[in-house]
Amino acid sequence: MTAGGTGQPSAGPGEKGAARTALAGLTTRGRSFLAAGVAAAVCAYVLGQPDLLRVGMLLAVLPLICAAVVYRTRYRVAGSRRLAPARVPAGSEARVHLRMDNVSRLPTGLLMLQDRVPYVLGPRPRFVLDRVEAGGRREVSYRVRSDLRGRYPLGPLQLRLSDPFGMCELTRSFSTFDTLTVIPRVEPLSPIRLTGEAKGYGDGRQRSLALAGEDDVIPRGYRYGDDLRRVHWRSTARYGELMVRREEQPQRARCTVLLDTRGLAYEGAGPDSSFEWAVSAAASVLVHMLERGFSVRLLTDTGTSVPGEGVEGFAGAGDGSADAAGLMMDTLAVVDHSDGSGLSHAYDVLRRGNEGLLVAILGDIDEEQAAVAAKMRRRSGGAVAFLLDGDAWGRESRREQAHEPGREPNGAPDPMNKQEERLRMLREAGWTALSVPRGVSLGELWRQADRERAGVVTADGIRGGEAGS
């Protein structure tokens, strides 16, 4: 069986291994017929029964003939796969469309189509294609779903060719793969106001446009090769020399999202773990800020910045914002715990210049790392920190198992002093710092940050049971 077009089945062995391949394709039924035929022929020879010998030969020859016919069958088929969509949030479904084209002049027989998928996406899909006419096409589809983010290979496609008696089945595999990217869940955020510098989270860009307009006219002296259409006649008359317009675009507001990926900062695993909450929160903030027209970048505790290239490492809004969002989402889809023990690498990146608004999603930090995070505030126009308490997430899980809300299973009270001390250090350095208990939504915390900066919120903040949406 050969193929043409998109995706080709892998070539079978040469003539030397033809017999071995054909016999290896015998099904249980075919092997049973072959064994019964050989046994009948042996018994017929021993007992001297020619009629039994004829029956034995028929039973033995039938599966061999079927194997030879199946192996010699030459179909030309083309297979393709299409994902809709190729990038899907965790917990959502994607549909995989398979298409088979018979590019030969002969119709095919019974074909069984099978696609390989990782076990986390669901069971392996199988389809039966009864008969594909010459030049015909068949399309089938199936759904995949994963609660775990990541990049999952799909394929290769496999075609299983069988004879009408079910004596022999041969499998041929296509060579092409596709990749399904499961990105973190993104929560829509409210367009709140967080004050900052001209490059921060505020109306810096809008103020520049209002004052100077899209064409910020700054005259300069004429240079050889300048377009005469850019001559600014009012400035020329004023200065007594030929002046041209120098067009400059206003500065765009910036935002850096810092994600703490240290393995020691989080407890638990799985879709409901604190680390997955942090990754989902980072994705939500990135998408929200890009939609607001900010130049955005993703920074981890290891000092890795995404995008790594471009103007000062920021992904600008506009035509390339979708590509920038896709790049950062692909990074978050596969991000894992780092082996680092501190935030110093991220601080080294941040202290190089004014980074505008800084939004940090931090795991459990000690006093030393809280001091490092406090110094990051000096180089930003505004700073918001969401501090996850790994111990608190673990305690909440143990309370649910013990059915004793409000106390530890052993009867000890909640030790909140450490978390409150870290929050106090960040707030004294100028951060808008919020604690993240288990069960709270980022949308409520996002609005809480706005209210805290406006001085509306009491010092108690949000508790997990008060978070609505």
Side-chain angles (χ1 to χ4, degrees):
M1 179 173 59
T2 59
T6 305
Q8 297 182 354
S10 57
E15 295 297 332
K16 182 179 180 180
R20 181 182 303 175
T21 302
L23 292 176
L26 289 176
T27 62
T28 303
R29 180 184 301 177
R31 295 175 186 274
S32 299
F33 267 67
L34 182 59
V38 173
V42 172
C43 293
Y45 177 77
V46 173
L47 300 177
Q49 297 290 333
D51 294 335
L52 183 59
L53 179 61
R54 297 188 187 96
V55 174
M57 292 181 62
L58 176 62
L59 293 176
V61 170
L62 180 60
L64 297 178
I65 293 176
C66 291
V69 171
V70 170
Y71 183 78
R72 289 296 180 180
T73 300
R74 290 292 183 264
Y75 295 142
R76 291 181 56 84
V77 293
S80 62
R81 183 190 300 101
R82 178 172 58 88
L83 305 181
R87 185 186 290 115
V88 62
S92 301
E93 290 185 344
R95 184 167 289 274
V96 183
H97 299 269
L98 304 178
R99 170 176 162 179
M100 299 299 301
D101 293 279
N102 182 12
V103 296
S104 66
R105 298 181 180 179
L106 297 176
T108 68
L110 184 67
L111 297 177
M112 284 176 283
L113 182 64
Q114 175 177 280
D115 203 8
R116 290 185 177 180
V117 299
Y119 72 94
V120 296
L121 299 182
R124 180 171 295 184
R126 294 180 175 89
F127 305 93
V128 177
L129 306 180
D130 187 14
R131 181 179 181 274
V132 183
E133 65 278 5
R137 175 190 306 168
R138 295 291 184 270
E139 294 184 1
V140 294
S141 65
Y142 63 93
R143 295 177 296 179
V144 291
R145 180 181 182 274
S146 174
D147 292 327
L148 301 175
R149 56 187 175 81
R151 292 173 60 87
Y152 300 102
L154 301 179
L157 277 173
Q158 291 182 330
L159 278 178
R160 185 174 296 175
L161 185 63
S162 177
D163 65 279
F165 300 103
M167 299 287 182
C168 182
E169 292 181 352
L170 292 181
T171 301
R172 292 291 183 266
S173 296
F174 288 78
S175 57
T176 56
F177 291 83
D178 288 283
T179 301
L180 175 68
T181 303
V182 181
I183 62 176
R185 295 183 181 91
V186 174
E187 182 177 350
L189 302 179
S190 303
I192 66 174
R193 167 71 178 262
L194 293 173
T195 57
E197 303 286 341
K199 294 182 181 180
Y201 190 103
D203 292 335
R205 179 174 181 266
Q206 286 77 2
R207 287 198 300 270
S208 298
L209 292 177
L211 293 174
E214 286 291 350
D215 264 356
D216 190 8
V217 180
I218 303 176
R220 61 168 175 80
Y222 176 82
R223 298 171 185 170
Y224 178 78
D226 285 338
D227 192 344
L228 293 179
R229 290 175 295 182
R230 294 174 56 191
V231 173
H232 194 253
W233 298 110
R234 183 178 300 179
S235 298
T236 300
R238 179 180 178 181
Y239 292 104
E241 60 176 320
L242 200 59
M243 304 291 289
V244 296
R245 294 189 301 270
R246 179 173 58 189
E247 299 173 354
E248 291 188 356
Q249 296 298 323
Q251 283 184 330
R252 188 180 299 277
R254 291 178 176 178
C255 176
T256 298
V257 179
L258 171 61
L259 175 61
D260 182 9
T261 63
R262 295 172 300 134
L264 53 83
Y266 300 93
E267 287 189 4
D272 297 327
S273 65
S274 57
F275 182 67
E276 293 302 320
W277 191 99
V279 174
S280 178
S284 301
V285 175
L286 286 169
V287 172
H288 175 73
M289 302 307 291
L290 279 172
E291 291 175 350
R292 292 292 303 273
F294 282 71
S295 295
V296 181
R297 72 171 173 181
L298 171 66
L299 181 66
T300 67
D301 59 288
T302 62
T304 303
S305 178
V306 180
E309 303 294 335
V311 180
E312 300 183 10
F314 285 84
D319 295 337
S321 61
D323 294 336
L327 176 61
M328 287 183 280
M329 285 298 171
D330 289 344
T331 301
L332 290 175
V334 297
V335 69
D336 202 353
H337 292 296
S338 69
D339 298 330
S341 59
L343 303 173
S344 58
H345 294 294
Y347 172 69
D348 292 339
V349 176
L350 290 172
R351 68 179 180 179
R352 296 172 186 170
N354 193 331
E355 304 301 333
L357 176 68
L358 174 60
V359 180
I361 296 94
L362 304 175
D364 195 11
I365 58 176
D366 55 20
E367 185 175 354
E368 179 182 355
Q369 301 312 315
V372 175
K375 293 189 294 183
M376 297 178 184
R377 173 64 180 85
R378 305 171 187 172
R379 308 300 299 177
S380 62
V384 181
F386 301 104
L387 185 58
L388 287 88
D389 188 351
D391 294 337
W393 281 66
R395 288 194 301 271
E396 291 292 338
S397 178
R398 292 191 293 271
R399 286 172 188 164
E400 292 178 358
Q401 296 176 4
H403 303 288
E404 295 181 4
R407 295 186 65 84
E408 290 286 328
N410 59 4
D414 289 342
M416 296 296 295
N417 294 336
K418 186 182 74 170
Q419 181 76 351
E420 292 299 331
E421 176 64 20
R422 306 298 179 258
L423 292 172
R424 183 189 62 79
M425 294 178 61
L426 294 178
R427 288 165 180 166
E428 290 180 352
W431 286 81
T432 300
L434 299 176
S435 180
V436 182
R438 186 178 183 185
V440 70
S441 70
L442 177 64
E444 182 62 24
L445 288 172
W446 192 250
R447 294 187 293 271
Q448 175 81 6
D450 184 38
R451 294 194 295 268
E452 284 207 358
R453 292 190 68 87
V456 177
V457 182
T458 64
D460 291 339
I462 290 182
R463 299 305 176 198
E466 301 172 11
S469 57

